[in-house]
């Protein structure tokens, strides 16, 4: 992305053929004042970022890679919960194009279908030192849209899916972007006006780890096995182990115990 001020873009969207990462672009534009709902959408990314420092492989023509700037009317302490709000918005948007009940959410914010990952979200916020009236969140969304199974790296093929694999149809990525953006702004409004509880209620209905045995590795490198209880009112995941102890998972990766990575 060249160094141009955000107001050079029409309709609150910047389309790029290629960029390193739409999240990095949206973040720099937010620092320069990009408005609530402003989005960056790219055909491909050369350094797409995933959660936990991973790469998000982003070839041209197959996936949706976008990042949307939010300036929610919420206190900074609510910002981490927006991860779940964004996940619900994404799930609701894809539910409107494929049969109900097909999609689910894996904490904190992976889009799942039939036990395979179809998309993910990376949320990045302005620093806590940023004045309240300038603070922002960037919601980065990657979805496998028109990808065929043999186009994924071999080592991922048993655990991923795409909208095309699920339905046999090819989707217009810009139309899908518009649907997701609308859903995201609607869900942020619900979060602002009716509170996170309303979001949580809907999120829990889609929780693919609920009551499932799952495992994760703690900071002390201990592997814990426990049953998913869903996210709490702060958006942190709770799980009960076989001794009845309740664990609170703040960050990191959880895996379904029976069938490897979920
Ligand atoms: C994950 O599941 O690890 C989150 C993946 C998020 C990927 C998207 S693609 C568009 C946006 N730009 C990035 O660099 N990352 C996010």
């Amino acid at each position: 992305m060249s160094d141009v001020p955000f107001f050079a873009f029409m309709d609150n969207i910047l389309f790029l053929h290629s960029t390193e990462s739409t999240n990095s672009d949206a973040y720099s534009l937010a620092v320069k004042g990009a408005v609530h709902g402003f989005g960056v959408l790219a055909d491909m990314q050369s350094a797409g970022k995933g959660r936990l420092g991973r790469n998000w492989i982003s070839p041209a023509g197959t996936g949706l890679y976008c990042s949307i700037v939010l300036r929610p009317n919420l206190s900074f302490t609510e910002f981490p919960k927006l991860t779940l709000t964004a996940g619900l918005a994404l799930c609701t948007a894809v539910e409107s194009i494929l049969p109900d009940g097909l999609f689910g959410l894996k904490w904190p914010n992976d889009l799942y279908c039939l036990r395979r990952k179809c998309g993910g979200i990376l949320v990045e916020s302005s620093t806590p030192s940023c004045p309240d009236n300038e603070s922002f969140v960037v919601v980065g969304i990657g979805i496998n849209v028109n990808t065929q199974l043999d186009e994924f790296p071999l080592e991922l093929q048993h655990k991923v899916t795409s909208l095309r694999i699920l339905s046999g149809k090819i989707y217009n990525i810009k139309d899908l972007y518009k649907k997701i953006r609308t859903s995201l702004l609607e869900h942020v409004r619900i979060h602002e006006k009716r509170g996170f509880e309303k979001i949580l209620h809907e999120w829990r209905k889609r929780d693919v780890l609920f009551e499932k045995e799952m495992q994760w590795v703690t900071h002390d490198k201990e592997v814990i096995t426990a049953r998913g209880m869903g996210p709490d009112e702060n958006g942190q995941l709770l799980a009960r182990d076989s001794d009845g102890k309740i664990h609170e998972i703040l960050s990191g990766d959880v895996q379904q115990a029976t069938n490897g990575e979920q």
Side-chain angles (χ1 to χ4, degrees):
M1 186 187 67
S2 58
D3 191 22
V4 280
F6 79 90
F7 51 77
F9 311 119
M10 303 286 287
D11 293 334
N12 279 343
I13 181 157
L14 168 63
F15 291 114
L16 296 168
H17 168 58
S18 174
T19 188
E20 285 186 4
S21 155
T22 57
N23 256 43
S24 306
D25 297 336
Y27 199 98
S28 345
L29 291 167
V31 169
K32 291 178 188 161
V35 296
H36 182 71
F38 182 86
V40 180
L41 176 64
D43 280 340
M44 57 174 283
Q45 300 181 116
S46 54
K49 299 186 281 185
R51 283 182 64 242
L52 309 171
R54 296 179 183 136
N55 296 328
W56 187 262
I57 304 164
S58 315
T62 57
L64 180 150
Y65 320 113
C66 74
S67 302
I68 299 171
V69 175
L70 300 177
R71 295 188 185 274
N73 193 7
L74 293 168
S75 69
F76 195 77
T77 52
E78 285 288 299
F79 280 16
K81 302 178 194 170
L82 282 167
T83 290
L84 271 67
T85 304
L88 178 64
L90 173 59
C91 197
T92 308
V94 293
E95 282 166 2
S96 70
I97 56 172
L98 277 166
D100 251 12
L102 211 50
F103 289 98
L105 289 162
K106 182 192 156 209
W107 185 90
N109 49 19
D110 286 345
L111 179 68
Y112 263 66
C113 186
L114 307 174
R115 300 169 74 97
R116 288 166 178 252
K117 181 160 171 168
C118 188
I121 296 180
L122 176 68
V123 174
E124 297 182 283
S125 310
S126 53
T127 55
S129 61
C130 186
D132 271 1
N133 60 347
E134 289 172 28
S135 63
F136 63 85
V137 169
V138 169
V139 176
I141 300 174
I143 313 180
N144 307 324
V145 182
N146 294 323
T147 332
Q148 308 212 62
L149 200 56
D150 61 3
E151 294 175 306
F152 288 104
L154 203 59
E155 67 279 11
L156 294 182
Q157 286 181 11
H158 65 288
K159 50 186 182 184
V160 290
T161 189
S162 74
L163 300 185
R164 181 176 181 178
I165 295 169
L166 293 165
S167 69
K169 291 188 193 149
I170 295 182
Y171 295 87
N172 179 305
I173 289 181
K174 283 185 187 162
D175 288 348
L176 186 60
Y177 165 80
K178 285 185 203 150
K179 224 181 243 303
I180 290 168
R181 177 180 178 275
T182 304
S183 175
L184 179 63
L185 297 184
E186 261 171 36
H187 282 84
V188 171
R189 247 189 322 271
I190 295 172
H191 189 151
E192 289 169 339
K193 302 256 178 297
R194 301 173 69 185
F196 182 60
E197 304 69 41
K198 184 78 192 152
I199 299 290
L200 205 51
H201 178 75
E202 287 301 313
W203 202 101
R204 285 186 174 132
K205 291 184 195 167
R206 295 160 174 85
D207 183 355
V208 299
L209 290 175
F210 187 67
E211 300 209 323
K212 299 279 183 330
E213 188 150 283
M214 53 185 220
Q215 289 181 324
W216 70 97
V217 182
T218 65
H219 287 302
D220 306 330
K221 308 258 180 292
E222 191 190 352
V223 179
I224 302 200
T225 303
R227 232 165 244 285
M229 297 169 66
D232 66 10
E233 66 287 353
N234 295 314
Q236 288 155 1
L237 185 61
L238 301 179
R240 184 184 282 108
D241 68 20
S242 52
D243 296 331
K245 180 176 170 197
I246 295 178
H247 299 258
E248 192 176 56
I249 307 161
L250 309 182
S251 63
D253 237 0
V254 282
Q255 296 178 4
Q256 196 168 327
T258 47
N259 200 22
E261 167 69 16
Q262 283 295 294

